[in-house]
Amino acid sequence: MKRLLKRLRRRRARWVRRVLGALLALCLALVGTVWVAYLLTAVPEPHPETVSQSTVFLDVEGEYLGRRGPVDRQDVSLAQVPRHVQDAVIAAENRSFRTDSGVSPSAIVRAAVATLSGGERQGGSTITQQYVKNALLSPEQSLTRKAREALIAVKLDRTRSKDSILEGYLNTVYFGRGAAGIESAARNYFGVDAKDLTVSQGAALAAIINRPTFYERAGSDAKVTGTLQKRWRWVLDAMRSSGSITAAQRSSAAFPAFRFYPPGDTDGQRQYLIDAAAAEAARRLGITQDQLARGGYTVRTTFDLSTQYAVSERVRQQSAGLPKGTKLHAAVIAMVPGDGAVRVLYGGTDYAHQPFNDALSGAVEAGTALRPFSGLPLGAPLTKLASTSAPTPLTVASAYATAAADGTYATPYMVERITRGGDTVYKAHPDRHRVMGSVMAAAAAKYADTGELPTYTGGAGTGPGTRTLWQSAYTGRLALTTALFAEQPATKGHPARPAHLPSSAGELATGVQSDVFTAKAVTPSGAGSVSGRGRS
């Protein structure tokens, strides 16, 4: 019996050694496989859609106009993102980011515990893994892809700095409201650049990252706003615990106000401005509009949005009283004499229903609108102005701006500056030359002391037979031209045809003039005006 037990003990020891040897061999094989896989794993280039940027358009005061491009995203360097914003994102998404190796088992465990305990949701993936997943890999969900994600994250962490990884992450992570990246998120939620985000705003954006499509309604949905506010406090508390912010900063933090979402119906008016500015910007840079849209440019235009909207509202209200079936067309141009900067460009009531811009391309019957220029020697490009039967409103506005500038013509422009990555790639310089004498300029000076804007009205075509109405007014600081005409829209079997203007058209033109010249940005210093009606 003793001999049998001894034999069994020897066999058991031999089997244990064999099992341990097999397990060791398996572990070595696994380690070797992982090491070979790591060596063979290359960090892929970002997907084209994650590096594609949009071009943003601003008005003359820096107010956001809109964008062009497939994705609302603009790259910024990490230096342009305040440290408190970086720390807020790290507090919300990956608190060990500065010290981990690209993957964090503890983060995975922490996320699981938070989920099971009902605490605040935390990502199981590190910021590095999220960047790899969002920017470098396809959205496929599989164990193979997850393993590759981890390998790439580790290699990325070993070959690039933490700042480089964080910059890539902040420029690609989705924040809701169509905004990819911190710069677009700052603009969409708060109307500021990323560099101007406050501690409270940065914490709010960081809180949004884990549920962007839910939180994007913050500010307009009470339930969503309340939920986000709780997570915002959690982020700030984490920042205070880590020493990212002081006790005074934490106690003084107030939940930020959000821009309303979804946006209102003003986009239809903005598209006229963006169309015109995009065409000019592409021409100035010598690229196509598609290249402009994807290039990540910031285009500061010459437009004054507040005045533009005052004109738009005036026309909208006046159009409401038109006879049924009659469509009123209004074209309004306001520009700076001697400079050429276009402040107002009203080319239609709604871009979605009429993309054609009446102010830039519409040929409107002149009638007596150009009579003040008859007999005056005019240089190019106004040489044939007086004999033009149907000029564009832009051409007429340019002529009156020339008169206001003592006979100096300035080529109209709508793009003031173009930047990319913080560098200026284009800056407007007025193109001007003398094309007329000082006759009309003297007339403007004559009325400067009165502060009135007198009008010139042609005799023929007035009353119920008026087809077009023009009104132009100018000062040394602004020239304004308004052109009005009406049409009966096309119906089944009948094309669109001209219609007589309503008797209230004159009131509309005068109202537009009042709105523009009393606007803060274009307050006149003197006055001179001529207007005329087209013949019936």
Side-chain angles (χ1 to χ4, degrees):
M1 176 63 73
K2 290 182 180 180
R3 189 178 298 174
L4 178 61
L5 291 174
K6 189 176 181 179
R7 188 182 305 166
L8 289 175
R9 280 196 295 269
R10 285 199 301 269
R11 285 183 179 179
R12 184 173 61 183
R14 190 163 53 244
W15 277 106
V16 168
R17 288 195 297 271
R18 287 177 180 176
V19 170
L20 291 175
L23 290 174
L24 179 61
L26 179 61
C27 288
L28 290 174
L30 287 174
V31 170
T33 300
V34 171
W35 179 245
V36 171
Y38 173 80
L39 293 176
L40 294 177
T41 296
V43 177
E45 292 296 320
H47 292 301
E49 60 268 24
T50 63
V51 296
S52 179
Q53 301 183 64
S54 62
T55 284
V56 171
F57 296 84
L58 312 174
D59 85 338
V60 69
E61 298 294 332
E63 179 72 19
Y64 178 67
L65 263 178
R67 68 175 179 88
R68 283 285 169 84
V71 178
D72 189 0
R73 191 181 76 82
Q74 284 193 307
D75 279 345
V76 291
S77 67
L78 193 64
Q80 293 174 279
V81 182
R83 182 64 185 231
H84 58 255
V85 177
Q86 300 175 36
D87 291 338
V89 172
I90 291 172
E93 293 298 307
N94 178 194
R95 296 175 189 176
S96 63
F97 170 72
R98 297 286 183 188
T99 57
D100 64 36
S101 61
V103 293
S104 175
S106 62
I108 297 174
V109 172
R110 188 169 60 249
V113 171
T115 301
L116 292 174
S117 64
E120 282 289 343
R121 288 179 55 189
Q122 299 182 42
S125 298
T126 64
I127 281 176
T128 307
Q129 284 178 275
Q130 290 183 56
Y131 174 59
V132 170
K133 177 176 64 176
N134 295 336
L136 309 183
L137 293 178
S138 67
E140 170 197 3
Q141 296 293 329
S142 67
L143 290 176
T144 301
R145 182 194 170 285
K146 195 67 178 176
R148 187 163 179 245
E149 174 190 302
L151 287 171
I152 294 174
V154 172
K155 176 160 282 191
L156 198 66
D157 189 80
R158 292 173 63 88
T159 56
R160 296 187 190 176
S161 68
K162 289 290 187 179
D163 281 353
S164 174
I165 295 170
L166 184 59
E167 179 179 299
Y169 175 77
L170 289 173
N171 278 321
T172 54
V173 65
Y174 184 62
F175 285 88
R177 296 196 179 190
I182 190 69
E183 178 74 0
S184 295
R187 188 175 58 244
N188 278 280
Y189 282 94
F190 302 114
V192 300
D193 293 332
K195 63 182 177 61
D196 297 319
L197 286 167
T198 65
V199 170
S200 291
Q201 291 170 338
L205 290 181
I208 284 170
I209 291 175
N210 81 325
R211 297 179 68 189
T213 55
F214 173 75
Y215 288 130
E216 67 183 1
R217 298 190 301 279
S220 58
D221 184 305
K223 181 179 178 181
V224 171
T225 304
T227 304
L228 178 61
Q229 192 166 9
K230 293 178 183 177
R231 183 167 174 82
W232 169 80
R233 293 194 192 100
W234 173 78
V235 172
L236 286 174
D237 288 342
M239 295 176 69
R240 176 68 193 102
S241 297
S242 67
S244 299
I245 58 175
T246 65
Q249 286 176 307
R250 175 63 188 94
S251 61
S252 64
F255 192 61
F258 293 84
R259 297 182 69 184
F260 185 77
Y261 185 82
D265 58 359
T266 57
D267 288 349
Q269 184 59 219
R270 294 184 184 212
Q271 289 306 315
Y272 291 107
L273 309 181
I274 295 173
D275 260 9
E280 181 177 323
R283 187 172 68 253
R284 298 295 189 188
L285 296 176
I287 59 178
T288 67
Q289 288 203 47
D290 184 62
Q291 289 172 319
L292 176 77
R294 297 170 180 270
Y297 298 95
T298 296
V299 179
R300 184 179 286 263
T301 69
T302 62
F303 305 126
D304 176 6
L305 262 182
S306 61
T307 309
Q308 180 82 21
Y309 285 148
V311 170
S312 177
E313 182 62 16
R314 172 76 63 172
V315 177
R316 186 193 67 79
Q317 291 177 355
Q318 198 75 31
S319 299
L322 286 175
K324 187 177 180 180
T326 302
K327 179 179 180 181
L328 176 68
H329 287 261
V332 182
I333 295 273
M335 57 192 301
V336 179
D339 181 88
V342 176
R343 293 285 183 249
V344 176
L345 177 67
Y346 183 89
T349 56
D350 187 355
Y351 185 90
H353 296 94
Q354 181 200 306
F356 182 82
N357 193 314
D358 285 324
L360 293 180
S361 306
V364 184
E365 185 181 6
T368 58
L370 300 175
R371 183 173 291 177
F373 298 97
S374 298
L376 291 179
L378 302 174
L382 302 179
T383 307
K384 299 180 180 180
L385 176 66
S387 60
T388 304
S389 61
T392 66
L394 180 63
T395 300
V396 176
S398 300
Y400 283 99
T402 301
D406 198 24
T408 298
Y409 175 86
T411 303
Y413 68 95
M414 289 159 272
V415 174
E416 181 181 280
R417 185 189 298 267
I418 305 173
T419 59
R420 189 185 194 189
D423 298 324
T424 298
V425 296
Y426 169 79
K427 184 178 181 181
H429 297 284
D431 175 18
R432 48 197 171 207
H433 55 281
R434 196 168 183 79
V435 300
M436 73 170 66
S438 302
V439 177
M440 295 186 70
K446 177 181 178 182
Y447 295 108
D449 294 335
T450 68
E452 298 177 356
L453 291 173
T455 60
Y456 172 87
T457 304
T462 60
T466 302
R467 289 198 302 269
T468 65
L469 184 148
W470 291 79
Q471 181 167 287
S472 293
Y474 61 88
T475 72
R477 298 178 61 184
L478 193 77
L480 168 70
T481 289
T482 300
L484 304 174
F485 64 99
E487 71 171 1
Q488 294 289 339
T491 57
K492 188 175 182 180
H494 298 283
R497 59 192 186 278
H500 294 308
L501 284 169
S503 59
S504 58
E507 297 174 11
L508 171 57
T510 301
V512 167
Q513 179 175 290
S514 175
D515 291 337
V516 171
F517 281 102
T518 55
K520 178 180 178 182
V522 293
T523 302
S525 57
S529 169
V530 184
S531 72
R533 295 177 184 269
R535 297 181 184 274
S536 59

